[in-house]
Amino acid sequence: MKVLASTKTGFTKLSGPATGITFTNLLSDTKAAENQIRLSGSGVALGDIDGDGWCDLYLCRMEGANALYRNLGDWRFQDLTVAAGVACPDQWSTAAALADLDGDGNLDLLVNALGGGTRLFFNDGKGHFTEAADSGLVRRHGAMSLALADVDGDGDLDLYVANYRTTTVRSTGLEMLNINGRRMLKPEDRDQMYITPSGFLREHGEVDILYLNDGKGHFTARPWTGGAFLDEDGKPLNGPPRDWGFSVMMRDMNGDGAPDIYVCNDFWTPDRFWLNDGQGHFRALARLALPCTSSFSMGVDFADLNRDGFDDFFVLDMQSPDPVRRMTQAACNEPPAAARGRRPPLCSPSFRSLFGESGRTVRKLKPVTEGMRCGRGPTASLRFAPSVRLGRQDSTGLSLRRTASWHRWSAHPMPAPKPSP
């Protein structure tokens, strides 16, 4: 967006010594090499933890303890991590949220971690936290992000956790059987990965979890089968989707007052769009309503970008700005979803094998997608269409600016992208 020369400064950088925030999320090369999923980064949560009217900060760290900063006003912060009891050391923290989960009016804390699932800390209203002894939350899986909303209309906040994976053979390697010259998985690995008919090795992602809150901060996992989740044809799922979950957001997208769910998934697993009936039962969005999604979705946000009364959404992905690298990241478009009876990613690539003939890791093909989807109608005709794509980036964060920023941006036309060199 072009900024006029006469415009006053909108943001001023403040130093760590000036604010009291000296937090840095560092990840050593050694730890990153051990598990490349750790490169996904960590999140932040904001909220008034002690009722003084100021917004406090909780910052997640991948390698080392997290940090809680109390806002003293006038852009000064005090480190309360140890006193508050929320350091969460010795875990790979990925995301956090501050929300009242037990109905006492105080903001409680949820923290996700790779291999550590989700933890819940109750707030006493003065910024002192106690970890829930029996929250019902699963303490395993590669919990990447989370979203909160009242999905069943009972007046409390329910929780959706997007799980990725805790480890991957891209870092750990994989020992395979060789039977009569044919590569085969060991029996103990067949639940976690599979070999396609073309000989490609693919790992399953970990199953996401939707938790229902009893109003007191105890959660129960909603089963994926048994009718709680229906496919596009209204049939119960035969099993849980084993997607590589990156990011999740809840939003009422069809105007019925119930929060729906959008999940960004990595690799070949498509994004999921679940419509809520208001009682915590979900049905997949009709195939033709969203005929294609991003192949490597990493973040999503919603807002009414064109002010037509319908929420639009923006999905983040990545692609190299270097033209030479882009040629190696090209992907092939598949036929329309309706022709095959399923919805593919936007540029579903023909993946090469995870391992080449020499056993080395081969770079994945990456698609061109970083764009918005425009909402086109209410409940009966909820449809989306691609709107714009932004500049290419090698990597993209998991979160976006909020609605206020979107409305400001929507007042300024976006220039057409320049041709690639």
Side-chain angles (χ1 to χ4, degrees):
M1 181 176 69
K2 182 180 292 185
V3 179
L4 300 178
S6 60
T7 301
K8 295 181 180 180
T9 302
F11 293 92
T12 301
K13 183 179 180 180
L14 302 177
S15 67
T19 62
I21 299 176
T22 57
F23 179 92
T24 303
N25 183 18
L26 297 176
L27 181 65
S28 66
D29 291 342
T30 300
K31 296 302 182 182
E34 290 175 358
N35 185 353
Q36 70 177 51
I37 296 177
R38 295 169 185 167
L39 294 168
S40 298
S42 304
V44 58
L46 298 92
D48 182 4
I49 63 167
D50 52 6
D52 64 356
W54 295 103
C55 186
D56 309 301
L57 282 77
Y58 184 84
L59 298 157
C60 293
R61 183 180 271 122
M62 187 58 65
E63 186 176 359
N66 300 337
L68 174 65
Y69 288 93
R70 182 191 177 205
N71 191 340
L72 304 177
D74 196 28
W75 299 108
R76 292 286 301 170
F77 294 83
Q78 176 188 8
D79 190 337
L80 289 183
T81 310
V82 176
V86 290
C88 297
D90 304 320
Q91 71 176 36
W92 310 96
S93 297
T94 55
L98 287 165
D100 180 13
L101 300 174
D102 56 2
D104 63 357
N106 305 315
L107 298 184
D108 307 306
L109 176 66
L110 290 164
V111 184
N112 280 357
L114 287 177
T118 306
R119 301 170 69 176
L120 169 60
F121 297 83
F122 289 121
N123 184 2
D124 67 358
K126 299 179 181 179
H128 301 100
F129 293 81
T130 302
E131 185 166 9
D134 181 23
S135 64
L137 301 176
V138 174
R139 290 293 310 278
R140 60 183 185 275
H141 300 320
M144 192 62 68
S145 66
L146 53 88
L148 292 152
D150 182 7
V151 302
D152 53 2
D154 63 354
D156 53 45
L157 291 175
D158 306 302
L159 170 67
Y160 189 103
V161 176
N163 290 317
Y164 194 74
R165 274 191 67 90
T166 301
T167 60
T168 172
V169 296
R170 287 170 289 161
S171 298
T172 63
L174 178 67
E175 184 178 349
M176 300 183 69
L177 301 175
N178 190 329
I179 300 178
N180 296 326
R182 181 182 177 187
R183 293 188 305 166
M184 297 185 66
L185 293 170
K186 292 184 175 181
E188 59 267 29
D189 295 325
R190 293 171 188 172
D191 182 58
Q192 296 297 318
M193 57 198 74
Y194 63 99
I195 298 176
T196 69
S198 302
F200 299 161
L201 176 65
R202 287 185 175 177
E203 295 178 270
H204 290 297
E206 293 175 340
V207 178
D208 294 351
I209 307 176
L210 173 64
Y211 295 99
L212 298 183
N213 189 351
D214 67 356
K216 299 178 182 179
H218 185 273
F219 294 86
T220 302
R222 194 88 161 113
W224 283 94
T225 56
F229 288 85
L230 307 178
D231 63 16
E232 295 90 342
D233 299 318
K235 298 178 180 179
L237 300 187
N238 293 323
R242 304 185 69 177
D243 300 329
W244 293 70
F246 244 139
S247 186
V248 58
M249 196 167 189
M250 296 192 194
R251 187 85 165 197
D252 178 15
M253 290 300 294
N254 54 4
D256 63 357
D260 308 306
I261 303 174
Y262 190 94
V263 187
C264 293
N265 290 317
D266 202 4
F267 300 125
W268 50 84
T269 55
D271 291 1
R272 306 289 179 177
F273 203 143
W274 300 103
L275 295 179
N276 185 2
D277 69 355
Q279 298 179 350
H281 299 89
F282 295 85
R283 178 171 175 165
L285 183 68
R287 295 181 181 90
L288 295 182
L290 185 64
C292 52
T293 63
S294 216
S295 288
F296 298 79
S297 302
M298 297 187 175
V300 61
D301 204 359
F302 292 83
D304 181 6
L305 297 171
N306 54 0
R307 299 178 181 176
D308 63 354
F310 301 122
D311 269 342
D312 314 303
F313 67 101
F314 185 96
V315 175
L316 290 175
D317 207 320
M318 63 181 182
Q319 188 193 38
S320 175
D322 179 68
V324 175
R325 293 190 63 194
R326 283 204 305 276
M327 294 300 293
T328 66
Q329 296 171 340
C332 302
N333 286 319
E334 292 187 5
R340 299 188 316 282
R342 64 184 181 88
R343 180 168 59 249
L346 175 61
C347 295
S348 296
S350 301
F351 284 96
R352 299 185 181 121
S353 174
L354 180 61
F355 295 101
E357 294 301 322
S358 62
R360 295 178 299 160
T361 301
V362 179
R363 184 177 301 278
K364 296 291 187 305
L365 303 176
K366 296 188 182 295
V368 182
T369 116
E370 194 166 328
M372 280 180 264
R373 305 278 161 183
C374 289
R376 294 297 176 87
T379 307
S381 58
L382 183 63
R383 298 193 63 179
F384 297 88
S387 178
V388 301
R389 291 180 182 173
L390 299 187
R392 301 177 175 95
Q393 299 182 63
D394 271 316
S395 61
T396 310
L398 289 177
S399 61
L400 296 168
R401 299 302 180 219
R402 285 302 179 212
T403 304
S405 298
W406 283 119
H407 280 274
R408 179 176 179 82
W409 289 358
S410 66
H412 301 271
M414 242 178 229
K418 296 180 180 180
S420 301

